[in-house]
Amino acid sequence: MSYAVQVSRPKILIPEKVSPDGLALLKDQFDVDEKKGLTPGELKSIIGEYEGLIVRSETKVTADLLEAARKLKVVARAGVGVDNVDVVSATKHGIIVVNSPSGNINAAAEHTIALMMAVARNIGDASASTKASKWERGRLVGIEAKGKTLGIIGLGKVGLTVARIANGFGMRLIAYDPYANPTLAAAASVTLKSSLAEILKESDFLTLHTPLIASTKGMIGAAELATMKPTARILNVARGGMIDEDALVAALDAGTIAGAGIDVFTSEPPQTDSSASRLIAHPKVVATPHLGASTKEAQENVSIDVCEQVVSILSGELPRSAVNAPIILPEEYRTLQPFVTLVEKMGSLYTQHYTSGLAIKSFRTTFDIIYEGKLGSLNTTKPLFAALVKGLLTPITSSDGLNINIVNAEILAKERGILINEQRSRENVEDKPYASFVTLRARASRSVSNARSEVGRSVSPSAARSLKPQEDEDQVIQGFVSGNKPFISRLDRFKGEFVPRGTLLICRNYDTCGKIGVVGTLLGKAGVNINFMSVAPLHEDIDEGVGDVEGNESLMILGVDKPVGDDVVKSLIAEEGVFEASVVTL
Ligand SMILES: NC(=O)c1ccc[n+]([C@@H]2O[C@H](COP(=O)([O-])OP(=O)(O)OC[C@H]3O[C@@H](n4cnc5c(N)ncnc54)[C@H](O)[C@@H]3O)[C@@H](O)[C@H]2O)c1
Ligand SMILES: O=C(O)[C@H](O)COP(=O)(O)O
């Protein structure tokens, strides 16, 4: 008599329509349950049995669901956007979230072109009218794409693909993307513009291809629509929320915008009597139900992509596109983790403090990152390199773009035109209160430094004068780790310790009495509480020319309990002696 030992196989749940091509890769090793139409309650009641969960955009992977997911190791998003996944909560639970950042790019780009032509030639309206037994050739005259200007907001993967196709139509291509790679733009015949205003004014067709992040949310509202040509047509195959839907309906009603092709909405499916449903119902709108990625080919691509990653993760290997990437391997974790956090924060601080608000934003900057002291003898700095790239890009790419890990960081940096030189120094750091520290030095190109002096962070008129001497200076951020906690110890010419965490207001001002009171009063009036404050005087080692306020300046760093509005920042710099201010969230 023989006995077969029953070993239970890991289980994977698929509550949405995912292409079978990828699922076939799972079936040898795992039990795959395809269960569509589950309510949130039903999903929660069964999720505890599963090691893997594969979703598209409809399943809401909430903190509550993840709390109940006792065995879950991976959430795989068969597509790009992870806005339906609570990534922070997944990270807290040690669950890796992966996606497929490029499997559906072509599908989204082709859908954009389909909407553009449908809007240009009244295809939706004409089809409905003809099916209703009408023959309205006179009413349904369209326009051609050839010779028209296509304005592209967001020249990333989808935006560039749209540009390449539209180039074949004989369209003039312009784009606004402060972080675009100029070489790729030029190769696609796209002229990069330095302001959104120029794009709005010149576009016959305007198409959006950015992620939905703070800087893009509501970026096209009534004021922006009012600057566009009344013959302009708008396309959105990116995310709902970037266009103010009510404002677009009003502009279409008033005839100040000619038409729109929209695939994505603020509520999906749209609720009755919502702004999304009013937009969909508008006669000048061609609407599709989030179909950008819905082609057979794209669904095969994303399915295979994420299923391969599920296999990797459940076999204990690194995935290629983890959204909450383990940029550090387990054996390196103990030594490097606090420095990974530090370097990521330094990168993020750089992007937010130096590039937000610039007329010309760019990473055409060369970064030197110098690891000193004990860090100088590391076997590998790959996780720190990846952390820097992640920190630099995170503030501008949202969770959609966070697939940065030790495998892909170098390629992603190159794609963005980010040049990073790593240097190690084992030199004695005995004069320092810490055994290792990291310096990030950005050598700004001429165009960037010019932009800084023109617009920069919010600057007071008197600051323009004192900013001048900084134009060609390197930008420096220095930090160290103490008790596993990251600290910033230098920001440009200022030396002072602060913890890079939460929302920080950074003000450069005359180091005179009363400044703290002024800032405190203005924040108090705006209902913003100060959690901590640090004053950084000029760095003692710095003897470079610092302008006519030399030796008399300091940096004030305030940890605040909520974001500080632009109006408050403007009032701050209107104060005598406050030169510039920026708000960063780390
Ligand atoms: N409708 C669909 O089914 C569908 C399918 C695929 C992708 N998408 C969406 O399309 C969008 C673009 O995807 P992608 O893969 O090209 O992303 P991407 O990250 O490759 O490109 C986004 C670009 O936006 C730029 N950007 C960021 N902030 C900006 C700002 N404030 N102003 C101007 N540009 C800014 C970035 O520099 C980047 O180049 C995403 O929102 C994605 O979720 C939708
Ligand atoms: O983010 C994406 O990949 C697209 O919006 C597609 O979403 P879908 O998988 O639900 O079609």
Side-chain angles (χ1 to χ4, degrees):
M1 193 173 172
S2 68
Y3 295 93
V5 181
Q6 281 272 314
V7 182
S8 67
R9 304 194 317 162
K11 292 177 77 179
I12 298 172
L13 178 63
I14 299 148
E16 285 186 68
K17 172 94 189 91
V18 173
S19 164
D21 304 77
L23 303 187
L25 304 172
L26 303 172
K27 290 184 175 162
D28 276 356
Q29 303 176 51
F30 310 109
D31 285 343
V32 177
D33 286 351
E34 292 178 75
K35 294 189 177 187
K36 293 182 197 76
L38 296 172
T39 64
E42 287 165 344
L43 184 56
K44 189 176 168 187
S45 69
I46 59 168
I47 193 69
E49 302 166 28
Y50 294 93
E51 266 90 349
L53 173 68
I54 303 182
V55 299
R56 288 182 56 192
S57 60
E58 282 178 32
T59 309
K60 307 288 171 243
V61 185
T62 60
D64 188 41
L65 179 70
L66 293 168
E67 194 67 45
R70 291 187 315 277
K71 293 188 187 166
L72 203 62
K73 295 193 176 61
V74 50
V75 174
R77 160 66 165 110
V80 186
V82 288
D83 15 13
N84 53 323
V85 180
D86 189 329
V87 179
V88 174
S89 170
T91 308
K92 237 187 273 165
H93 289 286
I95 299 167
I96 299 180
V97 180
V98 296
N99 72 350
S100 175
S102 43
N104 60 25
I105 296 168
N106 191 62
E110 287 189 7
H111 196 70
T112 309
I113 298 290
L115 284 180
M116 179 173 80
M117 294 318 298
V119 175
R121 302 302 291 268
N122 306 306
I123 301 292
D125 193 357
S127 176
S129 147
T130 315
K131 282 172 192 283
S133 308
K134 296 182 196 163
W135 197 253
E136 300 185 282
R137 285 163 41 89
R139 186 177 72 82
L140 294 165
V141 174
I143 58 157
E144 291 183 20
K146 185 177 178 184
K148 300 289 186 310
T149 297
L150 175 65
I152 304 170
I153 305 179
L155 199 65
K157 297 185 289 292
V158 179
L160 266 173
T161 312
V162 167
R164 289 179 192 127
I165 304 173
N167 197 27
F169 282 31
M171 299 185 84
R172 172 180 170 249
L173 304 170
I174 56 174
Y176 172 67
D177 183 336
Y179 307 98
N181 181 328
T183 314
L184 288 181
S189 309
V190 180
T191 305
L192 282 172
K193 299 280 182 177
S194 56
S195 74
L196 179 60
E198 286 172 85
I199 298 284
L200 296 174
K201 205 169 76 189
E202 295 179 29
S203 295
D204 298 305
F205 292 89
L206 177 75
T207 185
L208 277 70
H209 298 290
T210 65
L212 180 64
I213 48 177
S215 65
T216 62
K217 198 167 178 195
M219 80 192 299
I220 308 294
E224 287 72 25
L225 293 169
T227 64
M228 295 183 67
K229 297 179 186 175
T231 49
R233 287 150 171 93
I234 297 180
L235 313 162
N236 188 4
V237 181
R239 280 292 179 269
M242 266 131 52
I243 302 178
D244 178 334
E245 290 166 333
D246 283 333
L248 180 54
V249 168
L252 292 166
D253 278 340
T256 52
I257 292 292
I262 312 284
D263 184 48
V264 284
F265 303 90
T266 47
S267 61
E268 294 182 8
Q271 280 150 19
T272 328
D273 205 25
S274 60
S275 57
S277 65
R278 285 189 287 279
L279 185 60
I280 289 166
H282 200 284
K284 293 180 185 167
V285 171
V286 177
T288 50
H290 201 145
L291 288 183
S294 292
T295 63
K296 195 170 173 308
E297 295 85 348
Q299 287 312 307
E300 279 174 18
N301 292 342
V302 296
S303 174
I304 292 171
D305 189 355
V306 296
C307 289
E308 282 177 352
Q309 297 189 68
V310 168
V311 173
S312 295
I313 292 166
L314 296 183
S315 319
E317 288 160 25
L318 270 182
R320 51 174 174 257
S321 303
V323 171
N324 51 356
I327 52 180
I328 189 160
L329 292 168
E331 64 271 20
E332 291 164 339
Y333 191 89
R334 205 177 290 273
T335 337
L336 274 186
Q337 178 56 48
F339 287 96
V340 165
T341 309
L342 169 69
V343 172
E344 188 178 335
K345 302 255 184 196
M346 289 168 77
S348 181
L349 176 60
Y350 175 85
T351 299
Q352 295 183 67
H353 182 59
Y354 293 112
T355 75
S356 68
L358 289 185
I360 304 162
K361 293 179 225 173
S362 162
F363 283 123
R364 272 167 292 166
T365 303
T366 301
F367 294 96
D368 293 326
I369 182 144
I370 308 145
Y371 312 113
E372 289 176 80
K374 281 191 182 158
L375 272 185
S377 48
L378 282 177
N379 289 331
T380 174
T381 53
K382 271 189 167 188
L384 298 173
F385 182 96
L388 176 59
V389 177
K390 188 170 178 180
L392 289 169
L393 294 180
T394 298
I396 54 145
T397 43
S398 87
S399 52
D400 290 359
L402 292 185
N403 311 302
I404 299 163
N405 55 43
I406 49 176
V407 182
N408 64 11
E410 214 168 314
I411 296 170
L412 288 174
K414 240 185 226 152
E415 268 178 22
R416 293 281 174 165
I418 301 175
L419 296 173
I420 300 174
N421 298 317
E422 289 185 288
Q423 295 167 30
R424 301 185 212 188
S425 158
R426 275 183 240 183
E427 265 172 35
N428 208 330
V429 287
E430 267 162 20
D431 58 322
K432 302 270 187 311
Y434 27 86
S436 295
F437 65 99
V438 182
T439 305
L440 178 67
R441 186 175 283 275
R443 286 182 268 135
S445 71
R446 193 70 210 168
S447 62
V448 172
S449 46
N450 283 343
R452 264 182 84 198
S453 63
E454 281 156 21
V455 187
R457 289 150 269 155
S458 299
V459 286
S460 72
S462 56
R465 187 172 35 112
S466 75
L467 267 176
K468 275 279 176 217
Q470 295 182 52
E471 272 182 15
D472 296 320
E473 266 179 39
D474 293 350
Q475 295 150 341
V476 181
I477 301 176
Q478 203 163 62
F480 66 95
V481 169
S482 171
N484 276 347
K485 210 159 134 188
F487 288 86
I488 300 295
S489 49
R490 175 175 165 188
L491 194 52
D492 273 345
R493 301 166 295 151
F494 302 94
K495 185 186 174 185
E497 284 165 21
F498 65 92
V499 179
R501 195 177 58 218
T503 302
L504 306 177
L505 171 67
I506 303 175
C507 300
R508 183 168 68 87
N509 50 272
Y510 265 128
D511 195 5
T512 52
C513 310
K515 281 286 146 313
I516 297 173
V518 169
V519 177
T521 309
L522 274 168
L523 290 179
K525 269 195 206 150
V528 177
N529 284 321
I530 301 174
N531 295 332
F532 72 85
M533 199 196 130
S534 168
V535 175
L538 276 174
H539 196 293
E540 70 221 13
D541 301 343
I542 296 170
D543 52 9
E544 299 146 27
V546 289
D548 44 3
V549 288
E550 184 169 4
N552 210 5
E553 278 181 72
S554 67
L555 212 58
M556 218 190 283
I557 299 107
L558 298 106
V560 290
D561 69 343
K562 60 168 83 122
V564 180
D566 279 353
D567 48 335
V568 181
V569 173
K570 281 198 186 108
S571 330
L572 269 173
I573 57 165
E575 286 296 330
E576 191 53 32
V578 178
F579 298 131
E580 57 179 350
S582 75
V583 181
V584 300
T585 301
L586 298 170

